[in-house]
Amino acid sequence: IRITTRITGIPETLGMRHRYTAPSFSRRLVLGGQKILAETIGAELAVLPLLVILFGRISLMSPVTNLLVLAAIPSAMGASFGTAIADFFWHPFGIVAGAGAWLILSYLIAVIRLFARLPGASIEVATPIMILFIFAYAAFARRLIIIAWRKKRNKFSTDQS
């Protein structure tokens, strides 16, 4: 008898265990790219008012650049940490270990410079729009305060009962 699980849609045979197979490399690559893109867009929307206020520009290429760069960030951090530890014990060993960190960081800088040089990579934002962003931040902060206050109030009222 075959059934299909409601959550995953994967057919299962009753009374028999099935083996889990890992998703293919291409599927993991696509899902990883989607995750990075979603995280990038979310982070950029969260800091967009601040970027506009401080720099007066909005980057149009940053989502694409981040797709190419973000996967290498943990490796760069790990290699840099390893270099620091190696250098702590013996400086010549730190220099050799630093080659890996240098290679990864050189890739990051090259990709960022390439996309920064593209025409239309960022656009300048007018000053009146900056005022709107300040109000947007204020509204966002107000909303967070209200949510936190309601959670505290609900927790306090359930504790009292």
Side-chain angles (χ1 to χ4, degrees), residues 26-39 67:
S26 59
R27 181 166 169 76
R28 283 184 290 170
L29 188 63
V30 168
L31 292 177
Q34 289 175 346
K35 181 181 177 200
I36 289 173
L37 186 62
E39 290 170 352
L67 276 175

Side-chain angles (χ1 to χ4, degrees), residues 114-158:
L114 172 74
F115 280 94
R117 277 189 242 139
L118 292 175
S122 67
I123 55 173
E124 199 163 329
V125 179
T127 305
I129 293 177
M130 288 187 202
I131 294 169
L132 292 175
F133 280 123
I134 292 171
F135 283 116
Y137 255 146
F140 182 68
R142 179 181 176 271
R143 182 70 182 146
L144 287 177
I145 291 168
I146 289 172
I147 289 170
W149 178 75
R150 284 182 182 163
K151 281 185 178 182
K152 269 189 180 177
R153 186 182 67 182
N154 289 340
K155 182 180 177 187
F156 182 72
S157 64
T158 52

Side-chain angles (χ1 to χ4, degrees), residues 8 13 48 66 79 85 87 100 103 108 124 139 144-145 148-149 159:
T8 62
T13 305
L48 185 64
N66 284 338
I85 296 300
D87 193 67
L103 189 65
L108 297 177
E124 199 163 329
L144 287 177
I145 291 168
W149 178 75
D159 289 345

Side-chain angles (χ1 to χ4, degrees), residues 65-128:
T65 307
N66 284 338
L67 276 175
L68 297 172
V69 166
L70 282 180
I73 297 292
S75 300
M77 293 172 64
S80 298
F81 178 73
T83 299
I85 296 300
D87 193 67
F88 178 75
F89 288 109
W90 191 40
H91 182 67
F93 186 53
I95 292 171
V96 172
W102 175 83
L103 189 65
I104 297 168
L105 293 171
S106 295
Y107 163 75
L108 297 177
I109 292 169
V111 170
I112 292 166
R113 284 184 177 164
L114 172 74
F115 280 94
R117 277 189 242 139
L118 292 175
S122 67
I123 55 173
E124 199 163 329
V125 179
T127 305

